[in-house]
Amino acid sequence: MILPIYTYGNAVLRKQAEPIDKNYPNLSMLIENMYETMYNADGVGLAAPQVGLPIRMFVIDLIAFKEDDPELATFKKVMINPTITNRSENEVSAEEGCLSVPGIHESVNRPESIVVQYLDEHFEEHTEEYVGFKARVIQHEYDHLEGNLFTDKVSPIRRQLLKSKLTNIAKGKTSSRYKVKTA
Ligand code: NI
């Protein structure tokens, strides 16, 4: 089932999300719905707050980038209760967008590599290190669980220029191909 994606201005996107346990109701159905919602919107990652749920979980699938890097073809992951335990000092800049902030793409600086600890969909624990694009997507989704958006990270000058666009999204004046829930 395709769920509506909550856009900029919804309070749930600014909440610190809560950890979940195995007993979270209908978790496998939720994961399936989040993937379906993400693919329908041509996204590569989707965090639970973006479908209105303030819980610590996100899904990622980088298969769309397999032409750039064959290794990305098999990078499909659910991360539950993740913690980024290490971030490299070295930062890199790249353009990002977000399904909750339609129509905006901006350069964002982030640590080039990270170590992340998380539970998979079977509640098995993993600790993994990622570099480059994978690290970037994980950090972007992780930020959603902390109530942060990529637009918070752009330079002050760019942010000033974005202000009216963001206000319009918050007022529901947005056009996207996929189903959204405006504030
Ligand atoms: Ni996002």
Side-chain angles (χ1 to χ4, degrees), residues 50 98 140 144:
Q50 295 182 274
C98 179
H140 176 116
H144 278 297

Side-chain angles (χ1 to χ4, degrees), residues 6 9-18 47-50 52-56 141-149 152:
Y6 284 54
N10 278 292
V12 69
L13 295 176
R14 293 307 195 178
K15 272 191 188 160
Q16 167 99 20
E18 295 291 332
Q50 295 182 274
L53 299 170
I55 58 170
R56 300 187 77 79
E141 299 312 323
Y142 182 81
D143 276 355
H144 278 297
L145 310 185
E146 298 293 304
N148 299 324
L149 297 169
D152 305 338

Side-chain angles (χ1 to χ4, degrees), residues 26-159:
N26 304 319
L27 184 61
S28 56
M29 180 59 79
L30 173 62
I31 291 168
E32 201 176 296
N33 289 342
M34 282 176 64
Y35 271 120
E36 194 182 346
T37 302
M38 183 184 87
Y39 295 137
N40 176 64
D42 292 326
V44 296
L46 188 70
Q50 295 182 274
V51 292
L53 299 170
I55 58 170
R56 300 187 77 79
M57 179 178 83
F58 53 76
V59 300
I60 291 176
D61 190 344
L62 303 185
I63 193 169
F65 291 89
K66 67 172 188 231
E67 311 292 324
D68 304 336
D69 177 356
E71 227 188 78
L72 299 178
T74 53
F75 192 86
K76 179 178 177 183
K77 278 180 195 285
V78 179
M79 294 194 180
I80 295 169
N81 302 345
T83 313
I84 295 178
T85 55
N86 197 46
R87 295 171 166 86
S88 65
E89 262 173 50
N90 185 36
E91 294 203 339
V92 283
S93 178
E95 195 165 273
E96 293 186 20
C98 179
L99 297 176
S100 292
V101 194
I104 294 182
H105 293 87
E106 291 290 331
S107 286
V108 181
N109 283 325
R110 294 193 187 271
E112 189 175 25
S113 68
I114 55 159
V115 176
V116 62
Q117 226 171 65
Y118 66 95
L119 303 171
D120 63 22
E121 61 271 48
H122 311 294
F123 279 79
E124 271 162 39
E125 200 176 319
H126 302 265
T127 302
E128 291 161 356
E129 183 173 8
Y130 290 109
V131 189
F133 186 59
K134 293 174 185 172
R136 176 168 295 275
V137 175
I138 293 167
Q139 290 177 82
H140 176 116
E141 299 312 323
Y142 182 81
D143 276 355
H144 278 297
L145 310 185
E146 298 293 304
N148 299 324
L149 297 169
F150 82 102
T151 46
D152 305 338
K153 288 189 180 305
V154 305
S155 68
I157 292 169
R158 289 298 309 166
R159 206 176 315 148

